[in-house]
Amino acid sequence: MASAAIELRGITKRFGSVVANNNISLFVNKGEILSLLGENGSGKTTLMNMISGIYHPDEGEIFINGSPVAISSPHDAFDYKIGMIHQHFKLVDVFTAAENIVLGLNERGRFDIDKVSSRVAEISAKYGFEIDPRKKIYRMSVSEKQTVEIIKVLYRGADILILDEPTAVLTPQETQKLFAVLRRMRDDGKAIIIITHKLHEVLALSDRVSVLRRGEYVGTLKTADTNEMELTEMMVGRKVSLNISRAEPVDPKDRLVVNNLCVTNRDGVKLLDDVTFTARSGEILGIAGIAGSGQRELLEAIAGLKSVSSGELVYNDFKTGNSENLRNKTPIQIRDLGVRLSFVPEDRLGMGLVGSMDIIDNMMLRSYRRGNGVFVERREPRELADRIIEQLSVVTPSATTPVRRLSGGNVQKVLVGREISSAPTVLMAAYPVRGLDINSSYTIYNLLNEQKARGVAVIFVGEDLDVLLELCDRILVLGGGRVTGIVDARTAKKEQIGLLMTKHGEVEQ
Amino acid sequence: MSGKKHSAPPVYITKRDGLIWYKSWLIRIVAVLLALVLCSVIIIALTGFNPLQVYSAMVRGSFGTSRKLWTMLQNLAMLLCISLAVTPAFKMRFWNIGAEGQVLVGALATAACMFYLGDSLPQPLMIAIMLVSALAAGVVWAFIPAYFKAKWNTNETLFTLMMNYVAIQLVSFFIALWVPSGSGVMGVINQNSRSGWLPSVFGQRYFINIVVVAIVTAAMFIYLKYSKQGYEISVVGESENTARYIGIDVKKVILRTMAISGAVCGLAGFLLVSGTNHTVTTNTAGGMGFTAIMVSWLGKFNAAIMILTSFIIVFLQRGAGEIATKFNLNQSVADILTGIILFFIIGCEFFVNYKINLRHKEGK
């Protein structure tokens, strides 16, 4: 029998006391697509980083075409014709596609754009890419950038391709295109590993699927012989209900009314263009859109972190009956108006929390100003920290552990816990389950549902359309900084939202 | 498969999860011992002296006589004071390389008061005026780059560095103005009246300096660790985005913190003139503004640990001076020795934070 393109035998990798990969064995043949399936933190990326030379395994062996190899650097991996396409692109923004493709190649002679372009065109034609080699990276869409990354490794002659969560940033239509390309590469004899945790993609694309769970190898199945339920069971270890509970909104009232909101950047480019919507109490409003369609700017404008060029943000205080325009108020001014606005930002450790501070000091971020004294009061934050650790079952050595040392899910629990502890009336959460495993994700969904039941107006920015459709009451779709549609999540179809996401400008009625 | 065969590197480095305190101190002690062994080899090779005698002379440089002890404490106090001054700025990730200049303008303001006011005022009032002028001068000198940073986001490293040279030139200018002979050297001011001189206490002329710095140390420790403003400094330093997110006025914090940094520098300048030298030269700060940066970083911005790190620096400096005179050595030899010891002390932190692992060969 012909030997596998790449085979791993008994690979183990530890980080300190944490075992990221324990005794993992798997292989990929030429002309085959293998899905590597597992929840976040199951060790998929660590395993692939060992193949691409970023880490070195503590134990175990890697075989390429049947002979054992040691891969100590990305350069070694390149010599073995292994190419990895990372989740976060590693491209130079001000360079053209062609320049990025040959970057670091060390070819003899002058950089010849025509020669490179013709080879790029050749590769593109072969596998069905569409790319302009002379286009600069910063002018490209996410999908184009990914294409450049893939051509980059093909240009280097890679026979083994590893793609880390390639569809995370793509629209459904772009995903279909990518899959077509990957199938053509498979038919051309390449060995392809795709890291994912989206089951329908596994089933649609791969020949075989290997499952990891918490660093352990669970098993490998032929895709044709399996189904979503079986794979989910393998992945999470037991049956999980795929249903997110959704209660009917209780007495929804207009809490936050956004009218014709515009935000421009320093160059005068409109990041948000004429955005109008209403967030109601007791309701979860989902916001869908391709990454960078204005979600971040919208939330930051509401939170008083981004200056608004025109439009208004009206907050209705049900108790007093007053309406306040929050436009261009600072976070402190908003709080002083009695608006209890909580915000779980996308960048948890870079904005919502301070990574090097412990849980107690992070609790203080919102409350340290309390009291007239010169000194901070740590007793209440300590109690709050203990309460959150207990109620949300945060896994941490103690409340004095720096939050940077916690896993992604626990970091998020700390952040969400703090934000809902102030009994908000409006709760905004940007990608609150990104990078979280299924159990942590459900904890977050439950917390959001609890807030909804308490009459909070919840705004949930998400990327997984299935989750948005199951969790939210209404979904607002952003495309290129404009509202391209607001749909009822109970009746909307996924394809419908996918289409709205790719629309720029024209408004769907 | 391409022809090249790669082998795994024999060692690899991993980050430690956190070391028990006594183990980390064991590493540091071993590092110092190793440094002393290496220094011994160099002493024997270069000079032929008995290393033990050289080391004991080094210790005597700081502890030999009560006079030397007080001088050492005075040097320690001054270095510590300036280190404390730069610490809030560094904690805020504001690279204040301008302590040298901020100390100098504080010293210049103090000297100017002594020069122009002479003995016309009662001593307590005199001292109060000098102190206020020195603090104000330090604040102004630190505030200028902070303002530009807050307003136009200029690079504070270059700005504060350049301000040092302006301060040096200012001192030169005033000395030229005050010393008609043109010698360029300012003599002791108010030699006879002793107006504006900090008095000796218990027969020790540096006593007040040392007590003042001890108070500043405690105050800075508490300020950074337990005050609301200290907390804001940490947040701004770690993540400006987080600071904005919770509504901290980042510009205000930058201005306020640099004002504090400058004020403490000004205080150091005041102590150097009023309590120590009773005159001013372009070298009054003597490079301490730069050494202070090292002290602050080595002490991990913790005022209590900085007492130890500034002691190490001062002890080595005094020891080097002592062996240079005692054994009639070239000052460079003494500097080589202190350099080696410092290298080991700083370098061992790598082994405190990281672990070197040998890769086990698999059996054939």
Side-chain angles (χ1 to χ4, degrees), chain A residues 175-195:
Chain A
T175 303
Q176 287 311 317
K177 255 196 228 170
L178 174 70
F179 284 1
V181 166
L182 291 177
R183 286 193 192 100
R184 245 165 277 160
M185 293 202 285
R186 170 186 64 192
D187 297 341
D188 190 45
K190 309 260 184 224
I192 297 168
I193 303 178
I194 150 167
I195 304 179

Side-chain angles (χ1 to χ4, degrees), chain A residues 16-17 56-58 61 64-65 67-70 72 75-76 79-80 300 305 331-332 343 345 349-354 356-357 361-362 364-366 368-376 378 405 415 418-419, chain B residues 1-9 12 14-18 93 219 222-249 253 256 359-360 362:
Chain A
S17 56
H56 198 90
D58 294 345
E61 283 180 294
I64 289 180
N65 296 325
S67 37
V69 296
S72 324
H75 195 258
D76 291 0
D79 283 341
Y80 291 121
E300 291 191 358
L305 302 175
I332 300 290
F343 179 22
L349 289 177
M351 188 179 229
L353 301 166
V354 178
S356 59
M357 287 185 174
D361 276 18
N362 270 296
M364 264 160 46
L365 280 172
R366 285 282 189 203
Y368 80 96
R369 288 189 192 85
R370 261 185 225 150
N372 297 318
V374 176
F375 296 107
V376 288
R378 281 194 170 83
R405 302 248 301 260
L415 175 55
R418 185 191 71 205
E419 287 303 299
Chain B
M1 174 186 149
S2 67
K4 274 189 255 173
K5 178 98 179 141
H6 300 280
S7 61
Y12 60 102
T14 50
K15 199 160 168 40
R16 289 188 198 270
D17 261 353
R93 298 286 188 274
I222 293 168
Y223 177 74
L224 288 176
K225 196 150 186 191
Y226 298 108
S227 79
K228 289 177 181 174
Q229 296 190 357
Y231 181 74
E232 287 180 345
I233 291 173
S234 308
V235 175
V236 171
E238 291 295 337
S239 164
E240 247 181 65
N241 257 335
T242 308
R244 282 193 324 117
Y245 162 76
I246 57 168
I248 291 177
D249 186 342
V253 174
R256 187 180 68 203
R359 200 181 295 285
H360 300 294
E362 281 131 62

Side-chain angles (χ1 to χ4, degrees), chain A residues 274-390:
Chain A
D274 205 18
V275 170
T276 298
F277 69 93
T278 303
R280 302 192 189 119
S281 61
E283 187 187 76
I284 298 181
L285 173 69
I287 295 182
I290 301 164
S293 299
Q295 298 95 321
R296 185 197 185 110
E297 288 75 16
L298 177 58
L299 298 198
E300 291 191 358
I302 296 171
L305 302 175
K306 194 134 224 144
S307 77
V308 172
S309 52
S310 67
E312 52 181 4
L313 296 160
V314 181
Y315 174 86
N316 295 321
D317 194 329
F318 303 150
K319 271 187 202 146
T320 62
N322 292 340
S323 293
E324 303 281 358
N325 191 350
L326 305 185
R327 179 185 163 183
N328 291 343
K329 294 241 176 358
T330 66
I332 300 290
Q333 287 170 329
I334 292 174
R335 193 203 57 186
D336 290 345
L337 282 173
V339 177
R340 289 201 305 278
L341 180 76
S342 283
F343 179 22
V344 178
E346 176 182 351
D347 188 357
R348 292 162 204 162
L349 289 177
M351 188 179 229
L353 301 166
V354 178
S356 59
M357 287 185 174
D358 63 21
I359 300 179
I360 297 168
D361 276 18
N362 270 296
M363 290 301 136
M364 264 160 46
L365 280 172
R366 285 282 189 203
S367 62
Y368 80 96
R369 288 189 192 85
R370 261 185 225 150
N372 297 318
V374 176
F375 296 107
V376 288
E377 152 74 75
R378 281 194 170 83
R379 195 176 50 83
E380 269 178 46
R382 185 173 295 124
E383 287 168 5
L384 178 59
D386 289 339
R387 205 160 58 234
I388 287 174
I389 291 170
E390 198 201 310

Side-chain angles (χ1 to χ4, degrees), chain B residues 43-91:
Chain B
I43 290 167
I44 294 168
L46 289 183
T47 67
F49 292 119
N50 179 350
L52 291 178
Q53 280 175 358
V54 173
Y55 291 150
S56 82
M58 219 165 172
V59 175
R60 280 200 304 278
S62 292
F63 299 101
T65 62
S66 97
R67 193 188 140 81
K68 279 181 177 158
L69 178 67
W70 280 101
T71 310
M72 187 274 287
L73 286 177
Q74 148 73 11
N75 291 356
L76 169 63
M78 284 301 113
L79 180 60
L80 182 57
C81 185
I82 302 171
S83 308
L84 291 167
V86 297
T87 298
F90 278 114
K91 203 156 185 198

